[in-house]
Amino acid sequence: MRHAKSSWKIPELTDIQRPLNSRGKRDAPKVGKMLSERMDPITVSVSPAQRAQQTLAFLSCGWEALNGIQHTIEPDLYTFASADILQWLANLEGDAEATFIIGHNPALTDLANLLDVELKLSNLPTAGYLQLLLEIEHWREIQQACGRVTFSVFPRDL
């Protein structure tokens, strides 16, 4: 999932400090509600950026079962390069199971296109969610063209 729409109102804030704007605060709970109707709650690995942290908080407003789960802040997810996220995924422990990340563009758009080469996504929108099915048994096996998008939620469709 890409973080929800962020604010640029306070120019002296660093990139990592930027919060969500009103649209982001409105969209994330809508996406959370939709996901709550489709998925069991899951631990979320989230970028340390303020807008990503707030996205998780507002996502949990619509998907209340997320509030009872311990989530992890992953410094490596504060990146704009798909290769960094691919490496982070390859280093996950254990057999391939579900993981949920909240991060940034262009890394997430590029990663989705790398994993599902038929996707041709030009831009994962803010608060956009993609679910990919990966044809791997262990995270270390993750590579180009190993997956396909099986479900997506974009705020404009809600």
Side-chain angles (χ1 to χ4, degrees):
M1 179 173 185
R2 182 178 175 194
H3 65 79
K5 189 74 174 167
S6 61
S7 173
W8 292 87
K9 281 187 177 178
I10 308 171
E12 59 271 11
L13 292 178
T14 64
D15 181 74
I16 202 168
Q17 295 173 319
R18 285 190 296 113
L20 294 183
N21 69 12
S22 57
R23 188 174 109 198
K25 292 174 183 176
R26 183 181 65 239
D27 287 348
K30 289 180 187 178
V31 173
K33 175 111 174 75
M34 170 63 83
L35 293 178
S36 75
E37 296 168 0
R38 182 174 173 86
M39 300 169 53
D40 291 330
I42 184 171
T43 296
V44 178
S45 298
V46 60
S47 159
Q50 178 71 13
R51 60 193 180 277
Q53 298 289 310
Q54 286 184 322
T55 297
L56 175 57
F58 281 94
L59 185 74
S60 299
C61 291
W63 189 359
E64 293 182 11
L66 287 182
N67 290 313
I69 296 176
Q70 181 74 27
H71 303 291
T72 61
I73 298 170
E74 295 289 342
D76 290 341
L77 294 178
Y78 182 63
T79 183
F80 307 101
S82 61
D84 295 339
I85 298 177
L86 190 66
Q87 185 62 52
W88 181 84
L89 289 166
N91 289 330
L92 290 177
E93 297 290 323
D95 296 338
E97 293 182 18
T99 190
F100 188 126
I101 63 175
I102 298 176
H104 308 274
N105 255 0
L108 294 177
T109 297
D110 294 345
L111 180 66
N113 286 318
L114 177 80
L115 297 174
D116 182 346
V117 294
E118 295 179 14
L119 182 60
K120 312 282 190 266
L121 182 67
S122 62
N123 180 51
L124 179 61
T126 52
Y129 172 85
L130 294 175
Q131 183 176 65
L132 288 96
L133 176 64
L134 305 177
E135 302 292 332
I136 60 173
E137 291 185 34
H138 306 280
W139 287 109
R140 67 181 175 270
E141 299 169 356
I142 196 167
Q143 63 180 327
Q144 183 174 356
C146 73
R148 63 183 167 83
V149 172
T150 57
F151 176 70
S152 63
V153 178
F154 299 158
R156 68 175 177 260
D157 300 329
L158 300 177

